[in-house]
Amino acid sequence: MSEEHHIVPWKNYAINFCVITVLMFLTVWVADQDYGVMNLPIALIIAIMKTLCIVLFFMNVKYSSHLTWVFAGAGFFWFLIMIGFIIVDFTEFGGMYTNSLPGSQSAIGVP
Amino acid sequence: MTSVTMGPAEPVIPHHFETKPQHNECNILGMWLFLAQEIMFFGGLFTAYAVYRFKYPDAWEAGSAELNRAIGTGNTIVLLVSSLTMALSVYFAQTDQFKKLVASFSLTMVFGAIFLIVKAFEYHEKYTHGLIPGAWWDPIHPPEIDDPSKMQLFFIMYFIMTGMHAFHMVIGLIIAAVMMIMMLKRKFGPNKYMPVEMFGFYWHFVDIVWVFLFPMVYLI
Amino acid sequence: MAVIADREGAYAPPVREENYLTWDHSIKSWLFTQDHKRIAILYLISITVFFLLGGIFAMLFRIELLTPAGDVFEADRYNKFFTLHGVIMIFFFLIPSVPATLGNFLVPIMVGARDLAFPKINLASWWVFNVAGVFALLVLVTGGVDTGWTFYSPLSTSYANTSVFLAVTAAFAAGFSSILTGINFIVTVHKMRAPGLTWFRLPLFIWANYATGVVIMLGTPVVAITLFLIAVERLWGVGIFDPALGGDSVLFQHMFWFYSHPAVYIMILPGFGVISEIIPCFSRNRIFGYPFIAFSTLSIAILGFFVWGHHMFVSGQSFYTGMVFSFLTMFIAAPTAVKIMNWTFTLHGGNVIMTTPMLYAIGFIGLFTIGGVTGLFLAAMGLDVPLHDTYFVVAHFHFTMVGGMAMAFFAGIHFWWPKMIGKMYPEFMGKFACIIIFTGFNLTFMPQFIVGWLGMPRRYHAYPEEWQVLNVMSTAGASILGFGFLACIACLIWSAFWGKPAKQNPWGAKGLEWEVCTSPPHPHNFTSIPVVTEEAYSYTGEEVLDID
Ligand SMILES: [Cu+2]
């Protein structure tokens, strides 16, 4: 796409930078508040928003082909498969074996 | 704009490509595939981190409290600025502005270096607090939790994850230095900005890793 | 096939009749070549060395297993032999086997391109592979490694006093080289197809290598970081996976198998691709159900990432996770069965010609089916508990990996040998070696199913006397198998020098590599880029062999 390759105006980059910086201060501020179990999800949501800003605008995925979207998404999706299954195995959803209880010893030696 | 365009006058196409767009698209796709595998590479570390955080929440809280949040925040800003100057470098290469390109690319390298230097001071601070796991482990204020030894695991993960991130920064700076030399020889320009853009992808990716590391390690 | 005019001045046109093997004879032109065809040959040489090395270790521990007592080698040495056999065969033979040799050679030609998208990265891949190989050889000279190829913690991190660090470094680097190959394939297939070559006109070999590339790209980095953590744990003396130091060894197994189960598809999918080329060619028949084979390839690649827990039914994985993994594992048999059915239907009504590649391919279908079906035994969670870590498992994965993948690899090498080397191998010797391999293989591994069912655990150098007959059969079979492999390799090497020159299309096969490229191909593959106007495998039944 060299001819029609999208040249993004520098102002977009500057605005994007400001948004990410604001989000960063937001996550620092939020960390001082106590939302109980929601602390982690809130921090992660802000991190994902920052990531989207970087991926879409700094890395120009917004103007890229569908193929780029697919493979950029595949990386994140496969990571979720891995962490999803593994975390579930270590939570109480797993049940039965000793490693199902938070803070318990490792599962070595179970039947 | 100068009368002489920087970089090659005509698009350069390697022999096995048919057209320049094909060449560019291959580069972009190849880079994204590389980044997808990088996501999985760091993903392994994040998974291990998440599992241990889940298993030892107290130790994680105590470990996180040992970190210097001000330094972490400052370093995050440094890295974000370097990402901005990197994005601008691509813009200046595309629009044939040589001086601004060199300036913004140099700034990217400078901010990257500042990040690493700050990181080194931070590591040293951990050393003086006896927080290096292994044989050196001797915290000056041991945490008041059920099993203080578990805080060591937090610092193992902390050093491996931030260390792997810093290693990627070092690799990035080495590549950037080589590109700087090529840039000064006027190798890049509107007809050849792909290397700059590809390096930008890598640099932004390293930034993204930090975007997740920062809240996970310092804040929660 | 029609051709279009070439982009002007894209490369220097050949001055005389030359091919990629002969245009430059210097060593430098080989070691630093960016030509995908030469890199394929380099890879072929490298992996043949490792294949023979891995085979030697297999012979050594089979000799130990001749007698029930552990008398030939002490237990430590026996452990090292099977570990080295596993590490070398998996990371240095099976994973690069088809993609790095046949894939490197054929992917650009089959998509009608002059090279892979990133020729320099392709060369780097071979160099990284050899660096990995050097580390593997360093493991040998520094006393070996005895953890099993799985490097389970805490054995690998706290208890083993062998060269674990070098071994994981070797596996790490070999993995990295495969990532470079995988990324190259994906980009090439997406972006470099010739005009008219739509996705559904691609040979199924391309689909297979594409899917392999995806699995490599998304799986390999995870094992890389896992092995890296093992190395850190050993060097630094901290507990990442060792429970005694606060780590979790179940986490290691999760992360290891997240890659290592999909890795079996890295090994077998390209083999499926090879078989999908050979069966229609020597049946003189269109492949049956092209889209089903194509999509089953992709679905195996994706589903393969959802089943890794079937290796952990007895290692402390939670019960419900195990059930989910058991269930999902059953699913993956479906697309595999689709392929087997389609190949069989392709044979049906065809004009079958029994050449050497076809013999291997038919052998593949039979042996792989046995390997796949016994895999379902092991996927069933209840049945896996008694069978886990017995010789039943050993026999199962050797049926898929040797009976499947090695047979497919040799099928492919024989099939494309005239194209790669430009010489015909002696047909009689080829068939002879194939039959020897088939016989030896079955004699080696059939008894292992039985002895595993009877309860003989793997990885022990001594066993009760009542299992001796079966083990002697297995060792005898291994000797025959080893002889068959040697005969096959010797026959191929002989023919490379003294074989009859091959015609452009000796098999009467369809495909760009046969219909457009000379044997061996031109350094730039095509004098001009072909335009594809028909589907793959458009066999009419009229094609004839073109061999003197
Ligand atoms: Cu498996």
Side-chain angles (χ1 to χ4, degrees), chain C residues 257 260-262 264-265 307-308 310-311 329:
Chain C
W257 288 113
S260 293
H261 182 76
V264 306
Y265 300 113
V307 300
W308 77 84
H310 60 222
H311 296 270
T329 305

Side-chain angles (χ1 to χ4, degrees), chain A residues 26-72:
Chain A
L26 182 68
T27 191
V28 174
W29 178 76
V30 159
D32 285 329
Q33 321 297 313
D34 191 11
Y35 300 105
V37 289
M38 290 310 285
N39 282 337
L40 179 67
I42 288 173
L44 284 181
I45 286 167
I46 296 177
I48 290 168
M49 283 160 67
K50 284 196 281 186
T51 303
L52 284 176
C53 286
I54 296 175
V55 170
L56 291 178
F57 299 103
F58 275 165
M59 298 166 93
N60 289 332
V61 166
K62 181 151 191 296
Y63 312 105
S64 301
S65 63
H66 291 293
L67 199 59
T68 310
W69 284 78
V70 168
F71 279 107

Side-chain angles (χ1 to χ4, degrees), chain B residues 19 22 42 53 80-81 87 97 127 136 145 150 161 174 177 179 189 193 214-215:
Chain B
T19 58
Q22 187 191 29
F42 278 99
R53 183 177 193 278
L80 286 176
V81 174
Q97 305 184 57
Y127 171 73
W136 307 270
I145 54 175
K150 291 291 183 281
M161 292 173 88
I174 292 170
M179 287 185 53
Y193 59 85
F214 171 62

Side-chain angles (χ1 to χ4, degrees), chain B residues 73-162:
Chain B
T73 311
N75 239 353
T76 310
I77 294 174
V78 167
L79 208 52
L80 286 176
V81 174
S82 87
S83 245
L84 173 68
T85 55
M86 187 62 234
L88 290 176
S89 303
V90 177
Y91 172 76
F92 293 135
Q94 284 169 338
T95 53
D96 205 6
Q97 305 184 57
F98 179 69
K99 278 184 186 152
K100 286 182 182 172
L101 167 64
V102 172
S104 70
F105 198 73
S106 316
L107 277 178
T108 307
M109 292 176 65
V110 168
F111 281 113
I114 291 175
F115 178 91
L116 286 174
I117 291 164
V118 173
K119 201 81 221 151
F121 276 107
E122 222 182 334
Y123 281 172
H124 183 256
E125 190 193 343
K126 297 293 156 300
Y127 171 73
T128 54
H129 291 193
L131 293 172
I132 306 283
W136 307 270
W137 182 253
D138 184 22
I140 49 174
H141 17 253
E144 285 155 14
I145 54 175
D146 293 345
D147 188 356
S149 71
K150 291 291 183 281
M151 196 169 86
Q152 201 174 159
L153 199 54
F154 172 84
F155 276 96
I156 293 168
M157 292 314 293
Y158 166 79
F159 277 110
I160 292 178
M161 292 173 88
T162 56

Side-chain angles (χ1 to χ4, degrees), chain C residues 118-365:
Chain C
F118 309 112
K120 281 181 197 145
I121 287 178
N122 198 19
L123 175 65
S125 154
W126 181 71
W127 277 101
V128 172
F129 181 79
N130 280 349
V131 170
V134 168
F135 276 107
L137 295 178
L138 280 177
V139 172
L140 297 184
V141 296
T142 54
V145 54
D146 63 353
T147 59
W149 78 276
T150 47
F151 301 115
Y152 270 9
S153 169
L155 173 59
S156 61
T157 49
S158 300
Y159 297 109
N161 51 8
T162 47
S163 307
V164 178
F165 176 74
L166 285 173
V168 296
T169 312
F172 182 100
F176 195 59
S177 90
S178 74
I179 290 176
L180 298 180
T181 305
I183 289 179
N184 235 331
F185 283 180
I186 299 175
V187 177
T188 308
V189 175
H190 268 293
K191 295 292 177 190
M192 301 190 64
R193 280 169 290 138
L197 192 52
T198 58
W199 278 88
F200 288 96
R201 284 180 181 172
L202 285 172
L204 288 164
F205 184 77
I206 297 293
W207 282 88
N209 275 284
Y210 175 82
T212 308
V214 173
V215 181
I216 289 177
M217 173 190 82
L218 293 167
T220 314
V222 178
V223 83
I225 193 69
T226 312
L227 296 180
F228 172 79
L229 290 175
I230 289 275
V232 169
E233 177 156 358
R234 272 189 84 86
L235 287 186
W236 199 357
V238 294
I240 303 168
F241 294 125
D242 185 353
L245 298 165
D248 195 313
S249 48
V250 177
L251 176 67
F252 170 81
Q253 295 191 19
H254 270 302
M255 287 168 63
F256 180 81
W257 288 113
F258 180 84
Y259 162 76
S260 293
H261 182 76
V264 306
Y265 300 113
I266 297 176
M267 302 176 214
I268 198 69
L269 281 176
F272 290 164
V274 169
I275 300 301
S276 302
E277 295 298 307
I278 292 174
I279 296 278
C281 173
F282 293 115
S283 308
R284 300 300 190 223
N285 219 348
R286 272 168 192 270
I287 193 133
F288 185 88
Y290 176 103
F292 290 93
I293 300 191
F295 282 118
S296 69
T297 308
L298 284 188
S299 61
I300 288 173
I302 292 168
L303 264 179
F305 278 98
F306 290 83
V307 300
W308 77 84
H310 60 222
H311 296 270
M312 301 169 59
F313 289 149
V314 297
S315 10
Q317 177 184 238
S318 75
F319 180 68
Y320 294 110
T321 321
M323 272 171 66
V324 171
F325 277 127
S326 177
F327 186 68
L328 290 172
T329 305
M330 301 286 182
F331 264 105
I332 211 160
T336 319
V338 165
K339 285 171 178 293
I340 303 271
M341 308 283 181
N342 281 323
W343 292 324
T344 317
F345 274 115
T346 308
L347 291 170
H348 178 76
N351 171 18
V352 178
I353 307 167
M354 279 295 173
T355 55
T356 309
M358 190 63 169
L359 269 188
Y360 277 108
I362 304 264
F364 167 95
I365 296 181

